[in-house]
Amino acid sequence: RQDVLVLTPWLAPIVWEGTFNRDILNAQYTQKNLITGVVTFAVKKYWFFIEGFLNSANKYFLAGHRVNFYLFTDSPEQIPRLQLAPDNYLFVIPVQNHSQWQGISMSHMDIISRYIRSQFQYEVDYLYSIDIDVQLFEHIGVEIVDTLVGTISWQHTTRRESKSYETRTESQAAIPMGEGDFNYTASFYGGSVAEVYKLTRTCFKEAMEDRENGVEAEWHDESHLNKYLLYHKPTRLLSPEYYCAEEL
């Protein structure tokens, strides 16, 4: 690809269609006998998206490889009967809702880190957090697998110009003016279980420090994610092809 940026300044690959050979990557991944987990949340009215997400992810996410889907929901009775692929498993985990959606989104980081420590670290090698209102339309394969993975937002235009950056210095999510690499979306990120644990634990801890100081980052968990990935460079970036508005 000559039309897009395929390497970051710190030499991490940026994955676009046409920059990898999926057959070679599949063979390498299969030899390692790995299991990948997907975490998603369906709280309050978001139960509506459960069937669409799970059906599309079952079909297109790491097809042919072992995937554990971890669905946190306050409406387990709303989950439809689904026929999953032979290598896929669904684990439904009841969770309480919060009065405000900001509280819900920030609690995701806390819940993920706690379950990594108590359960996920023993069950999967890699873990990805994907929003429940996402639908997959094409195969997302093992080209996404790496130690620490961020997805460039489709709203990203140029470096250092991102509406997901928090600029107020009183917030723990603040990124100094003129700094920042890319605009990462909190709707799709992941990596090794150990790295996702460090990311989610740090982001939630800093969000709680903000709360104690009467501050809330403008873009909530996404602001904290962008701060974390500025100082802990992702080893692989997914292009906006992996998460964008349907009309694009």
Side-chain angles (χ1 to χ4, degrees):
R1 292 281 296 260
Q2 301 294 321
D3 57 324
V4 291
L5 184 67
V6 297
L7 204 63
T8 70
W10 59 94
L11 304 183
I14 305 175
V15 183
W16 298 82
E17 187 66 37
T19 62
F20 57 88
N21 185 310
R22 188 166 283 150
D23 291 336
I24 293 175
L25 295 177
N26 277 332
Q28 293 172 342
Y29 185 89
T30 301
Q31 289 176 358
K32 296 177 182 178
N33 196 30
L34 300 171
I35 303 176
T36 298
V38 174
V39 174
T40 191
F41 292 80
V43 179
K44 301 176 79 169
K45 64 181 181 180
Y46 281 84
W47 67 264
F48 175 81
F49 297 102
I50 292 174
E51 185 170 8
F53 173 84
L54 288 176
N55 279 332
S56 65
N58 176 61
K59 181 178 181 180
Y60 289 122
F61 189 87
L62 268 65
H65 301 290
R66 291 191 291 170
V67 180
N68 287 355
F69 293 101
Y70 299 105
L71 171 61
F72 290 91
T73 182
D74 61 346
S75 304
E77 72 282 356
Q78 299 285 0
I79 298 174
R81 287 185 172 272
L82 299 170
Q83 185 66 44
L84 296 180
D87 293 318
N88 292 347
Y89 296 90
L90 172 63
F91 299 87
V92 178
I93 305 172
V95 66
Q96 292 182 327
N97 64 43
H98 290 253
S99 58
Q100 294 181 312
W101 73 266
Q102 296 97 325
I104 296 170
S105 65
M106 282 313 314
S107 71
H108 290 183
M109 297 283 194
D110 179 41
I111 292 170
I112 291 171
S113 66
R114 287 193 285 110
Y115 272 84
I116 286 175
R117 190 165 60 181
S118 66
Q119 178 180 345
F120 300 160
Q121 66 170 319
Y122 306 111
E123 298 178 348
V124 297
D125 302 284
Y126 292 89
L127 187 67
Y128 289 82
S129 174
I130 306 178
D131 280 357
I132 192 70
D133 57 353
V134 167
Q135 283 206 42
L136 283 65
F137 294 102
E138 297 289 346
H139 286 284
I140 293 181
V142 298
E143 75 278 358
I144 72 167
V145 177
D146 214 320
T147 306
L148 182 59
V149 180
T151 302
I152 302 172
S153 171
W154 62 273
Q155 296 169 318
H156 177 81
T157 51
T158 60
R159 283 169 48 189
R160 300 182 178 85
E161 292 180 5
S162 166
K163 75 173 193 174
S164 290
Y165 291 172
E166 174 60 71
T167 58
R168 296 171 299 164
T169 56
E170 59 266 30
S171 171
Q172 293 294 318
I175 291 179
M177 192 67 66
E179 294 190 23
D181 300 308
F182 297 90
N183 174 9
Y184 301 104
T185 176
S187 298
F188 189 1
Y189 66 88
S192 70
V193 171
E195 288 300 321
V196 175
Y197 175 74
K198 288 188 283 189
L199 182 157
T200 52
R201 187 182 182 195
T202 300
C203 288
F204 182 72
K205 179 174 176 287
E206 294 189 348
M208 289 302 96
E209 289 182 32
D210 273 4
R211 180 169 294 181
E212 290 175 5
N213 295 324
V215 180
E216 187 167 341
E218 184 175 4
W219 298 100
H220 318 295
D221 55 336
E222 193 156 276
S223 295
H224 290 279
L225 175 74
N226 273 271
K227 160 78 176 301
Y228 185 90
L229 293 180
L230 172 60
Y231 297 110
H232 305 80
K233 302 295 189 191
T235 56
R236 180 173 302 250
L237 281 69
L238 305 182
S239 72
E241 292 175 334
Y242 285 84
Y243 179 78
C244 64
E246 187 173 354
E247 63 268 20
L248 300 180

